[in-house]
Amino acid sequence: MSGLIEHTLRGTWTPSGGSAAPLSPRALRWLRQRIGLAETTTPAVPASLLEVPDSALPEAAREELAALLGEQHVLTDATARLGRAGGMSYTDLMRRRSAAELAVPDAVLLPGDPELVQAALEVCVRHDIAVVPFGGGTSVVGGVDALRGSKAAVVSLDLARLDRLVSLDPSSRIAVLQAGMRAVEAESLLAAQGFTLGHFPQSFERATIGGFAATRSAGQASSGYGRFEDMVTGVRLATPAGEWRLGVAPASAAGPDLRQLAVGSEGALGVITEVAVRVRPVPVHSRYEAFVVDGWQGGVDAVRALAQNRVLADVTRLSDVDETEVQFELTGALKVKALQFLLRSKGIRQPCMLVLGWDAGSRAELARRREATLGVLRSTRAVRLGRAVGETWRSHRFSGPRQRDALLDRGVCVETLETATHWTGISELRSAVRNALVRSLRTGGKKPIVMCHISHAYETGASLYFTVLAPRRSQDPLGQWQQAKQAASDAIAGRGTISHHHAVGADHLPWLAEEIGDIGESVLAAAKQAVDPTGILNPGKLIRPAR
Amino acid sequence: MSGLIEHTLRGTWTPSGGSAAPLSPRALRWLRQRIGLAETTTPAVPASLLEVPDSALPEAAREELAALLGEQHVLTDATARLGRAGGMSYTDLMRRRSAAELAVPDAVLLPGDPELVQAALEVCVRHDIAVVPFGGGTSVVGGVDALRGSKAAVVSLDLARLDRLVSLDPSSRIAVLQAGMRAVEAESLLAAQGFTLGHFPQSFERATIGGFAATRSAGQASSGYGRFEDMVTGVRLATPAGEWRLGVAPASAAGPDLRQLAVGSEGALGVITEVAVRVRPVPVHSRYEAFVVDGWQGGVDAVRALAQNRVLADVTRLSDVDETEVQFELTGALKVKALQFLLRSKGIRQPCMLVLGWDAGSRAELARRREATLGVLRSTRAVRLGRAVGETWRSHRFSGPRQRDALLDRGVCVETLETATHWTGISELRSAVRNALVRSLRTGGKKPIVMCHISHAYETGASLYFTVLAPRRSQDPLGQWQQAKQAASDAIAGRGTISHHHAVGADHLPWLAEEIGDIGESVLAAAKQAVDPTGILNPGKLIRPAR
């Protein structure tokens, strides 16, 4: 774990054991031309130079926690605390680079099982200490920022030691996993018994099962495997009011689905300690292919047809013209000019790339499902690019975050944000967010690069995922992005959800009431009051204090 | 509407305009032999002879409500009030027959739009009057019983006049329907524009859109179309705290899914006034077929294989040996002896009927989906009975409730109950519930008929639906069933959900805490406190007063 903490400290994404992805000469050239790049690299400040405030954890509380968890599982040293000082948003990474405005927890707790999480919470209630549950630390919405709220001290409750596969029921296809288990580890343990979760968000290399549940995560193959909340059949939470277990049946009419209140509760209504999830057999055959459709609206219509005919591939990902151009330029797998010529000859002037991927248990199933998808796609005049491009996308599917450090080093403001809405409003929403970002991030003569894709389609609508690359302002670089984020969020509010799969955290809280109403906010506050009457759980995230 | 009220009064199910289904001579003969029958029929007491207490609605409240809604929409006459005195459970029907223990509302309100529902609620808050939302009146769990709770008066808020199709977005495939619209009417209005909900519970002929949402209804084709909560993209509720609207995107990570708190809230957290639902094109081709598998466990394994290979037909319904026997005996479409001989020759000694039905937009789609289903079914050695039996089931799919009056007239205790659990526990749960029912309802030398089927299958588990026919005791006939229901519910608690699609209402409330925990109950009570601080909404249903 020390490897992990060290990397986190450096403000990098790269997982323990993995390696950061450098930018290729081709990419550097292209970025320099499009948005400009710093001529010299500025790496992050070494952790040893960061200034960390003293721990404010009262000694009586520390002693009680140490007696409960063991001295070695109550960490107050600067390294451990810095390692949990926020997540992985651009803002988090920038703060770590400069050591500015970092919210550092006063201690890190490492309980070893759900009962100890429960007991630790009760100690924190008695000493009135704020508790921030911490999984993979991949939040990009301030979800793990060590905010104190009204409390005098705040601890990071790191679930890393809750890393067991509790049980696997192959007949019901349900695995019970402890919340701190990393996705990579879960896949490896399940694969040994022939199963998979099929959940592959871009945070896959670091994120945990509990984090997926707490944030309603969606993965790249969610069109086929479902969003994480669709997989959750049960949850176990530690709360100041006691342990809470839910989930006795695949579906129920026994009142509101409280699992759907626990899932997405972001540590504010309890600490998820175990998750029961539906698993599927490891696919034996997979196939990834790329297609090109003409223009964004043509692509939207194609994906909508696939979704509404219920023949979506497991991975279904449509890039807009800008993202397609970047992918063509940067993958290196394509002769861009030749390709554009070819596409133009087929009537495609505004190429939008569509990646489709199927997982199946047999060749016959793969063929049947692929044929059903392509049968509908045929009517859209999509042009097939083939498997090589599809497989290239697949092999780079987790590399985005790994490249962020190199971009930050070269003075680039790089960040993503996402939303979802119904089909009728999807293109208006894309334009509104895009325009807001471009307007906010335009600097001098250079326009930022704003790319967008649909990665999750439903019968009634789809998600939109934006990636932004802009030259970083030297003056107030955090303010530069915060203004852009504000403009994008204002454009989203009323037109779509403030988050399709990144969650609310601290960053989206100002826009939540627009989406769920004052009544929705007061219902959440009331639920919190019931399970966490003194408000120690993740203050400042998801739920505003009752007014 | 007077037709409806009149029928309701007679304690019958038969919808306005429809006709009660008599029992065939064959069915009578068979029932007489199996459980005995009263020699003479005892029809329900005419409504005119039922004694209805005077309305306790304070005159000041009545005047204010009449000024708001119009005199003709605030009914205090006995006929109108009796028409909303409970739902359609065996207990409800028996109470109406004898006019015993009927909870009659003090008035019936008939607001004409969502704003008037909101305004009427506010009047009721001011006068501290309990409000029971009333849709189709098909609750079988006491969900519309006119309970007063701690209030001096109770009104039935009948949503019958909220019967409009508010909007239809064919591109996003979302229809916004007012809550009081009946399912039959919704299907008719949507069909005129080429769409269907595909939601066909046995209550279809009477139930409303708001009722479906309030109770997390599941229909006979939910394996294909999804449960009602899966279709809901948005809701509008009137609450004492104000209007509440939810649903801006097909999926979201903006905190817990509060739609799933509104859906299933059974009138206790608000009055649902509008529902946005996903629609699909009216299927052009349908095919229903029956199969027989050997033994319950063989059937369970077959349905599990279909679900886990994700090739379920839209209708997938497995009957146990007892239900299969009754279907063979009563449909009249089969030569039973010849069939049993044939099945035995194919190695089937314990026939369990499996009905599969597919809806599709084209012959090709139908063929593709049917082939996928049958491809998996082949490995289970199921024997095909053919389309005639499948179509017979389909044509009788709503007739069960219509036959209840005839059965009640002949002294039969007839009722259904249901649950769901994960695959591993499904057969133990079936045995436990079955044994509890048989033990409780055994009378003299006669065993009751207890039939069971799976009508909803999921990757991780399935529902179990029980139908009971027993000779009614002349002494305390309500107590007879209440004891049996208690025994069945005790058998379910801890093993499965207390309701897969009938909801909680008043009848399941004693078992809810076992399922959602004391914390779950306190979260629901807290949510109620936030939206309904004086507790006027549907007291005694779903949520116990905070302790």
Side-chain angles (χ1 to χ4, degrees), chain A residues 415-476:
Chain A
E415 185 55 301
T416 65
L417 57 85
E418 36 82 74
T419 178
T421 194
H422 300 129
W423 288 114
T424 306
I426 202 94
S427 291
E428 183 198 311
L429 176 58
R430 175 177 157 279
S431 298
V433 175
R434 202 189 135 68
N435 292 344
L437 288 167
V438 170
R439 211 175 303 129
S440 178
L441 291 167
R442 194 193 302 266
T443 319
K446 294 277 186 195
K447 278 208 290 188
I449 301 168
V450 178
M451 305 175 272
C452 180
H453 65 249
I454 288 177
S455 51
H456 301 81
Y458 308 86
E459 287 177 73
T460 56
S463 66
L464 290 173
Y465 191 95
F466 297 87
T467 304
V468 172
L469 295 165
R472 186 159 75 225
R473 275 185 216 144
S474 49
Q475 290 272 311
D476 189 19

Side-chain angles (χ1 to χ4, degrees), chain A residues 145-220:
Chain A
D145 286 5
L147 304 183
R148 278 172 174 68
S150 61
K151 310 300 177 192
V154 57
V155 295
S156 174
L157 184 60
D158 190 321
L159 296 157
R161 293 177 64 222
L162 273 72
D163 60 356
R164 287 182 40 237
L165 169 61
V166 179
S167 64
L168 174 68
D169 172 351
S171 170
S172 303
R173 294 204 175 159
I174 294 173
V176 178
L177 300 164
Q178 287 189 334
M181 179 179 282
R182 292 186 182 256
V184 174
E185 180 72 7
E187 284 298 335
S188 153
L189 286 172
L190 290 171
Q193 304 200 48
F195 291 102
T196 179
L197 293 172
H199 192 69
F200 304 111
Q202 218 172 27
S203 62
F204 175 74
E205 293 177 334
R206 288 192 105 153
T208 61
I209 299 302
F212 289 156
T215 58
R216 308 179 75 81
S217 171
Q220 291 168 350

